[in-house]
């Protein structure tokens, strides 16, 4: 029997669980792991708390939690190795699967919408505008 999660994505602890699980999936993906570890050279000890701060800002409205320019960070990665549509598709699939597996409720629904907006905006900017 398929059990739906009973927890919403409405606390810093839930966001921590989301980010940890989501990045576990990304780093197990043979297409995505090299983008993060080799091309971007991500230091996970620094990166994951930054990503958690981003999602706390987006979902919980925490002011000052995230102050970086996300687009500029992705432009730098794209300049080293162009991101392809498959990268965006896989990122989205892993994100949505993680949220669906762990969370249910209005905050989880909002996370899906925010992620879709991120994907559309970054793809449009990096793959169409930056040609």
């Amino acid at each position: 029997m398929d059990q739906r999660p009973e927890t919403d994505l409405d606390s810093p602890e839930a966001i921590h669980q989301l980010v940890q699980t989501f990045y576990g999936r990304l780093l197990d993906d043979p297409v995505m792991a090299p983008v993060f570890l080799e091309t971007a050279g991500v230091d996970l000890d620094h990166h994951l708390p930054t990503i958690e701060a981003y999602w706390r800002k987006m979902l919980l409205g925490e002011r000052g939690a995230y102050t970086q320019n996300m687009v500029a960070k992705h432009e730098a990665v794209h300049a080293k190795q162009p991101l392809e549509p498959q990268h965006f598709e896989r990122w989205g699939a892993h994100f949505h699967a993680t949220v669906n597996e762990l969370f249910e409720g209005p905050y989880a629904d909002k996370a899906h919408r925010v992620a879709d907006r991120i994907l559309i905006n970054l793809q449009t900017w990096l793959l169409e505008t930056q040609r």
Side-chain angles (χ1 to χ4, degrees):
M1 181 174 182
D2 185 31
Q3 274 194 309
R4 294 291 302 162
E6 296 180 10
T7 304
D8 201 357
L9 194 46
D10 58 354
S11 69
E13 296 78 19
I15 289 170
H16 176 77
Q17 182 183 13
L18 167 69
V19 170
Q20 294 293 318
T21 305
F22 173 53
Y23 271 81
R25 287 178 191 252
L26 288 174
L27 298 178
D28 280 343
D29 183 311
V31 172
M32 297 303 292
V35 174
F36 286 89
L37 299 175
E38 295 166 22
T39 305
V42 168
D43 172 0
L44 292 173
D45 291 336
H46 177 74
H47 186 67
L48 296 184
T50 301
I51 298 304
E52 288 181 30
Y54 176 82
W55 285 103
R56 288 195 314 271
K57 175 182 178 181
M58 299 308 292
L59 296 177
L60 307 178
E62 271 190 26
R63 296 184 187 272
Y66 181 86
T67 58
Q68 297 183 15
N69 183 334
M70 179 191 44
V71 174
K73 298 280 186 189
H74 289 84
E75 281 177 330
V77 172
H78 187 64
K80 288 182 183 178
Q81 175 190 334
L83 297 170
E84 302 291 337
Q86 72 168 333
H87 295 116
F88 295 97
E89 292 164 12
R90 291 172 90 98
W91 186 96
H94 286 303
F95 185 87
H96 292 304
T98 303
V99 172
N100 287 336
E101 179 182 295
L102 299 174
F103 305 102
E104 182 176 45
Y107 287 86
D109 294 342
K110 183 177 181 180
H112 286 297
R113 290 190 306 272
V114 170
D116 287 340
R117 196 169 63 239
I118 290 167
L119 288 170
I120 290 167
N121 291 341
L122 279 176
Q123 262 188 289
T124 300
W125 180 254
L126 297 175
L127 302 184
E128 296 173 22
T129 310
Q130 298 295 302
R131 290 180 195 228

